[in-house]
């Protein structure tokens, strides 16, 4: 009967005994034991965000890249990104996360890492697979699972800075972007179809913000695109779990009504702020119970240690696994804090906040080149784990050990 149902759904039977799989509300490891996700996000590494550098107005990856090019030129900027990718996250970071008691890492990435678009210093021969391969190898050594999260989708899926787009979720109105979205996921799935370190593929981060008058129409397009992408993945990979998030910051799930179109899917929610109570996430619990599938808190944090500890207890009580956001950034509110270089604020951050709408403004605000270049080099030094500071109270609040 199971085989007939699988064939009727157009799916390929997946082998047991090698991959994490969905069973009711739970995730089950290859050895048959339950997996409760606990870990962190490698945010900012392959999807730079301004606040993690101390910026405010300059808050998405393309804006940061433009800022650096205006400040120090394209060659120095390209070298900065190469060094940043080499040093921001390394094997030692993964082993540190493991040693705190985590069992899972969520890896946010920009789709451009799998195209020939201009991104993080490269315009061809992008290194997305190289970077993921590194993390897979490190996670295998550390005994951690890995969730691949397309944080920035073609066209932009959110309509805010977090999707590195242009202020509107164009993905849902562009056939070209949707096809590219599905094609990239199929390529990723084909490469990692036999990799048991991969827990699953999270199709997109926080789709469809609430700002838009036509948000209800956009919301109705979310599940059909999910189904299309899942079908593309299943042509290459019958093995891995696929994670689906709701609209409005992974908070609304009412537009997701079909949880039977695939036999190995689960849902993911996010929560920042509000009371750290079960009542505050009742909608997530109710949707989990209605669908009969696992719910996972992919992002939360940026709060007091007490709030974070209380939310962890709520999640554990209600069988909702979690990964904190983020692992590393400037200042605190993370596992590993980066010191700002001396004069970083007075030179780099100041330039990032200065109006730069014209060439004249670029020229007049541009800082001394030697100082600016030295500060970028110093940031690379400071972001390395040997020079960072473990935030012990934050780590304790994560409830890992």
């Amino acid at each position: 009967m199971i085989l007939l149902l699988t064939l009727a759904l157009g799916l390929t039977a997946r082998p047991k005994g090698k991959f994490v799989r969905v069973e009711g509300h739970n995730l089950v490891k290859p050895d048959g034991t339950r997996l409760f996700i606990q870990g962190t996000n490698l945010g900012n590494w392959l999807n730079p965000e301004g606040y993690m550098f101390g910026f405010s107005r300059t808050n998405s990856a393309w804006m940061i890249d433009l800022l650096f090019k205006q400040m120090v030129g394209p060659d120095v900027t390209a070298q900065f990104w190469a060094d940043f990718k080499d040093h921001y996250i390394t094997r030692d970071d993964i082993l540190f996360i493991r040693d705190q008691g985590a069992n899972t890492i969520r890896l946010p990435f920009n789709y451009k890492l799998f195209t020939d678009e201009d991104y993080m210093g490269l315009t061809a021969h992008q290194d997305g697979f190289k970077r993921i391969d590194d993390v897979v190898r490190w996670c295998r050594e550390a005994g951690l699972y890995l969730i691949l999260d397309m944080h920035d989708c073609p066209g932009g899926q959110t309509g805010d800075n977090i999707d590195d787009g242009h202020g509107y979720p164009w993905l849902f109105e562009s056939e070209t972007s949707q096809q590219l979205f599905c094609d990239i996921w199929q390529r990723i799935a084909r490469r990692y179809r036999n990799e048991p370190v991969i827990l699953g593929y999270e199709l997109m981060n926080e789709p469809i913000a609430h700002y838009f008058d036509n948000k209800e129409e956009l919301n109705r397009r979310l599940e059909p695109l999910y189904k299309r992408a899942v079908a593309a993945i299943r042509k290459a990979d019958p093995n891995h779990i696929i994670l689906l998030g709701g609209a409005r910051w992974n908070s609304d799930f009412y537009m997701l009504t079909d949880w039977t179109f695939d036999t190995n899917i689960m849902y993911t929610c996010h929560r920042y702020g509000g009371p750290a109570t079960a009542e505050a996430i009742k909608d997530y619990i109710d949707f989990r119970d209605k669908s009969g599938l696992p719910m996972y808190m992919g992002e939360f944090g940026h709060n007091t240690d007490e709030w974070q500890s209380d939310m962890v207890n709520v999640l554990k009580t209600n069988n909702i696994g979690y990964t904190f956001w983020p692992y590393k950034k400037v200042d605190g509110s993370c596992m590993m804090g980066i010191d700002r270089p001396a004069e970083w604020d007075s030179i780099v951050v100041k330039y990032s906040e200065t109006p730069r709408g014209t060439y004249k403004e670029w020229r007049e605000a541009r800082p001394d080149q030697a100082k600016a270049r030295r500060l970028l080099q110093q940031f690379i030094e400071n972001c390395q784990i040997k020079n960072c500071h473990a935030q012990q109270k934050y780590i304790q609040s994560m409830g890992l050990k």
Side-chain angles (χ1 to χ4, degrees):
M1 180 61 71
I2 294 174
L3 177 60
L4 291 175
L5 178 60
T6 300
L7 294 173
L9 292 172
L11 303 171
T12 304
R14 62 184 184 275
K16 291 186 177 181
K18 188 175 180 181
F19 303 94
V20 177
R21 64 187 186 275
V22 169
E23 285 191 7
H25 291 169
N26 297 318
L27 299 178
V28 178
K29 294 188 286 187
D31 64 5
T33 60
R34 173 173 167 262
L35 171 64
F36 183 78
I37 295 174
Q38 293 179 277
T40 190
N41 283 264
L42 303 184
N44 202 45
W45 181 40
L46 303 180
N47 67 316
E49 293 190 49
Y51 79 96
M52 298 201 210
F53 293 89
F55 306 150
S56 178
R57 288 181 51 170
T58 304
N59 57 6
S60 66
W62 71 264
M63 292 180 181
I64 300 168
D65 182 66
L66 181 60
L67 161 72
F68 290 162
K69 287 175 178 175
Q70 292 169 347
M71 184 173 69
V72 295
D75 294 345
V76 174
T77 298
Q79 186 59 56
F80 172 84
W81 289 129
D83 295 339
F84 181 84
K85 286 186 284 188
D86 284 346
H87 296 294
Y88 195 85
I89 297 294
T90 65
R91 171 182 176 273
D92 288 343
D93 290 282
I94 304 305
L95 296 180
F96 173 83
I97 293 169
R98 185 272 312 275
D99 290 345
Q100 309 317 301
N103 59 31
T104 303
I105 286 172
R106 180 173 179 251
L107 175 58
F109 64 88
N110 193 308
Y111 82 94
K112 294 177 184 177
L113 287 162
F114 303 93
T115 71
D116 283 338
E117 298 182 51
D118 184 4
Y119 187 65
M120 294 187 79
L122 298 175
T123 54
H125 309 297
Q126 286 284 355
D127 57 356
F129 281 124
K130 189 267 183 196
R131 300 298 169 178
I132 292 179
D133 287 349
D134 285 344
V135 181
V136 166
R137 186 174 68 255
W138 300 332
C139 283
R140 185 183 300 118
E141 178 184 353
L144 300 178
Y145 287 109
L146 180 65
I147 295 171
L148 301 183
D149 155 45
M150 190 181 288
H151 216 76
D152 315 278
C153 299
Q157 79 280 4
T158 305
D160 210 337
N161 66 293
I162 60 168
D163 68 12
D164 194 33
H166 298 91
Y168 185 82
W170 299 107
L171 171 66
F172 297 96
E173 297 190 359
S174 168
E175 169 59 26
T176 300
S177 293
Q178 290 179 24
Q179 187 60 54
L180 180 59
F181 172 68
C182 293
D183 288 347
I184 292 172
W185 268 122
Q186 189 174 76
R187 289 172 54 204
I188 291 172
R190 185 176 297 115
R191 187 179 186 94
Y192 298 112
R193 61 176 294 164
N194 294 316
E195 179 49 69
V197 166
I198 303 289
L199 187 155
Y201 309 129
E202 185 174 336
L203 295 188
M204 65 177 75
N205 176 70
E206 297 186 342
I208 311 169
H210 60 286
Y211 308 125
F212 310 105
D213 292 338
N214 64 335
K215 58 181 178 293
E216 293 304 322
E217 179 184 353
L218 293 169
N219 286 346
R220 287 193 295 271
R221 300 176 186 177
L222 180 58
E223 191 168 64
L225 183 54
Y226 278 161
K227 290 183 176 181
R228 178 176 172 181
V230 170
I233 289 172
R234 291 303 183 218
K235 290 179 180 178
D237 181 352
N239 302 320
H240 286 98
I241 296 169
I242 297 176
L243 295 86
L244 309 177
R248 192 176 64 87
W249 322 115
N250 277 24
S251 292
D252 291 339
F253 293 87
Y254 66 85
M255 75 293 298
L256 305 180
T257 60
D258 182 0
W259 37 83
T260 64
F261 71 91
D262 188 86
T263 60
N264 209 24
I265 59 173
M266 61 182 287
Y267 294 97
T268 175
C269 58
H270 294 173
R271 175 58 55 126
Y272 291 101
T277 63
E279 183 63 27
I281 61 168
K282 184 176 184 298
D283 288 349
Y284 305 161
I285 298 170
D286 288 348
F287 183 80
R288 185 270 310 277
D289 292 344
K290 182 169 64 173
S291 69
L293 296 172
M295 179 66 77
Y296 146 69
M297 183 72 76
E299 291 183 23
F300 72 122
H302 287 316
N303 213 304
T304 65
D305 296 334
E306 181 181 10
W307 184 94
Q308 294 180 169
S309 181
D310 288 345
M311 182 58 79
V312 164
N313 290 332
V314 168
L315 296 174
K316 287 182 176 181
T317 299
N318 289 279
N319 191 24
I320 297 177
Y322 59 88
T323 47
F324 272 76
W325 182 275
Y327 162 63
K328 179 187 286 188
K329 68 178 182 66
V330 296
D331 307 324
S333 191
C334 58
M335 292 181 76
M336 193 63 73
I338 302 171
D339 288 336
R340 302 187 189 207
E343 298 186 286
W344 181 259
D345 285 0
S346 62
I347 293 179
V348 181
V349 174
K350 180 181 178 181
Y351 190 61
S352 76
E353 298 298 305
T354 301
R356 289 174 286 109
T358 67
Y359 283 90
K360 183 173 184 290
E361 289 174 332
W362 294 0
R363 291 191 298 269
E364 291 180 348
R366 183 178 293 124
D368 176 81
Q369 289 294 286
K371 287 185 177 181
R373 296 181 183 192
R374 175 181 54 78
L375 286 169
L376 291 182
Q377 293 172 353
Q378 188 61 54
F379 187 93
I380 297 299
E381 287 294 317
N382 289 13
C383 79
Q384 297 176 46
I385 188 172
K386 64 182 180 181
N387 297 319
C388 293
H389 303 284
Q391 310 293 304
Q392 294 298 338
K393 290 185 177 180
Y394 179 99
I395 293 170
Q396 291 171 7
S397 77
M398 295 171 68
L400 300 181
K401 289 186 176 180

